[in-house]
Amino acid sequence: MQNTTLHGKTALVTGSTSGIGLGIARALAQQGAQIVLNGFGDAHEIKALQAALTKEYGVKSTHHPADMSKPAEIAAMMTFAAEQFGSVDILVNNAGIQHTETIEDFPIEKWDAIIAINLSSTFHTTRLALPTMKAKNWGRIINIASVHGLVGSVQKSAYVAAKHGVVGLTKVTALEMAHTGVTCNAICPGWVLTPLVQKQVDARAARDGLSNEDAKKNLVSEKQPSGEFVTPEQLGALAVFLCSDAANQVRGAAWNMDGGWTAQ
C-alpha cells in the first residue's frame, strides 16, 4: 500500500536506472514522491521502469540521461526537472563509478572520471538545487557516499578520495543550511547486493563449486562482519527516514549501513 508522506514532493535520484539508485527511487515513490530518474541504459527498459513506478505507486516519473561528468548536462537535467515538476525537493546524489589500481599505476583519465562523477557532480547538483529549496524552506539532500567515505581500502585511491570528499561536502552543506528547513546527510553503504555484485557472486559459486549463499558469504565476510549484503531496499528505507519530519535535526550525518564494517 502506498503511503503519502512525500506526496507533492519531487525527488531526483542520479544513477537510478539500476541498483542502489533504483531502490531509493522506488522507496521514495512508494511514499508518494514524483520521480526524476537519471542514468544510462536501454531506452525501452527505462520507459518500462517509469511505467512500473506509475503503475505500482501512482506517481509521475520521468527520466533525464545527463552524463554526470559534464556540468552542462547536469545543469540541463536540473532545469528539465524544474520544468517537469516545478522544483526538486529531494535530491539524491547516487551516481558513481569505480576503478581499482595501485596509486602508481592508476590511469589519470580514470582518476579524473571518478572524481568528476562521484564527487564534483554532487557539488553541481547541490549548488543548483539549493536556491529553490531555501526559498521553499524545505529540502532534503541525501548523498550516497560509501563506507569508503569513512575508511580506506587498497587500490581504491580515487574512489576513497571522492567518497571522503562527499562526506566533507555533506557536512559543509548541512552547516550552511543549519538555520533553514533544508537538511543534508550522507548514507555510507558497505557491500550492496546490486545486479553487478550478484554476477560476482554467481561467478564465484561456479568457479569454486559453492552454493550461491556460501559464495555470497565468502565474498562479503572479509570486510562485512554480518556476512550479509546491504540491500537497495534497506538503503531506500533509510532515505525515506531522512526525508521525514523525524529527521529534521539529522544534519551533516555520515550514516553507515555496512553490516559492522566500520565497527571493527
Side-chain angles (χ1 to χ4, degrees):
M1 182 179 296
Q2 181 189 347
N3 293 310
T4 58
T5 56
L6 298 176
H7 180 73
K9 306 294 188 187
T10 296
L12 188 158
V13 186
T14 68
S16 52
T17 51
S18 66
I20 293 172
L22 181 57
I24 291 175
R26 287 187 184 279
L28 297 175
Q30 187 176 27
Q31 300 300 315
Q34 302 170 128
I35 302 297
V36 181
L37 299 170
N38 158 259
F40 302 132
D42 179 82
H44 295 292
E45 292 178 2
I46 292 171
K47 284 289 186 184
L49 288 178
Q50 293 176 240
L53 290 174
T54 299
K55 181 179 179 180
E56 292 175 41
Y57 308 118
V59 301
K60 296 178 181 178
S61 68
T62 188
H63 170 262
H64 194 282
D67 181 336
M68 299 306 291
S69 70
K70 297 179 179 178
E73 293 192 23
I74 294 170
M77 176 183 68
M78 299 299 288
T79 299
F80 170 82
E83 290 172 347
Q84 292 291 307
F85 295 129
S87 65
V88 173
D89 306 295
I90 300 162
L91 171 64
V92 182
N93 288 304
N94 169 74
I97 60 172
Q98 174 65 287
H99 180 80
T100 58
E101 194 75 73
T102 58
I103 292 172
E104 65 268 30
D105 295 322
F106 210 96
I108 294 172
E109 66 276 10
K110 293 290 187 182
W111 172 277
D112 289 343
I114 288 171
I115 297 301
I117 294 172
N118 294 28
L119 175 57
S120 296
S121 71
T122 299
F123 163 73
H124 290 299
T125 56
T126 297
R127 70 179 178 82
L128 293 167
L130 281 177
T132 301
M133 289 182 176
K134 288 169 65 179
K136 297 176 73 171
N137 200 38
W138 196 95
R140 294 291 187 265
I141 299 174
I142 301 172
N143 297 326
I144 307 305
S146 167
V147 67
H148 284 113
L150 304 171
V151 299
S153 289
V154 298
Q155 297 190 331
K156 295 183 179 179
S157 56
Y159 190 82
V160 170
K163 294 301 187 178
H164 272 69
V166 168
V167 170
L169 178 60
T170 298
K171 294 176 180 179
V172 173
T173 305
L175 290 173
E176 292 186 2
M177 295 297 107
H179 296 292
T180 75
V182 180
T183 70
C184 181
N185 294 286
I187 297 176
C188 300
W191 280 101
V192 180
L193 190 56
T194 60
L196 185 63
V197 173
Q198 184 61 53
K199 289 180 181 179
Q200 297 180 49
V201 172
D202 295 340
R204 181 176 289 230
R207 183 193 70 201
D208 298 338
L210 300 172
S211 70
N212 201 269
E213 189 66 21
D214 285 342
K216 181 174 76 170
K217 288 189 175 183
N218 284 0
L219 181 67
V220 76
S221 61
E222 179 183 334
K223 295 283 191 179
Q224 206 147 294
S226 68
E228 295 291 334
F229 285 102
V230 178
T231 68
E233 292 76 18
Q234 290 166 340
L235 294 166
L238 179 53
V240 167
F241 166 71
L242 291 174
C243 290
S244 72
D245 289 343
N248 279 344
Q249 293 306 317
V250 182
R251 295 169 180 259
W255 195 311
N256 51 301
M257 184 179 279
D258 60 8
W261 186 327
T262 55
Q264 300 175 98

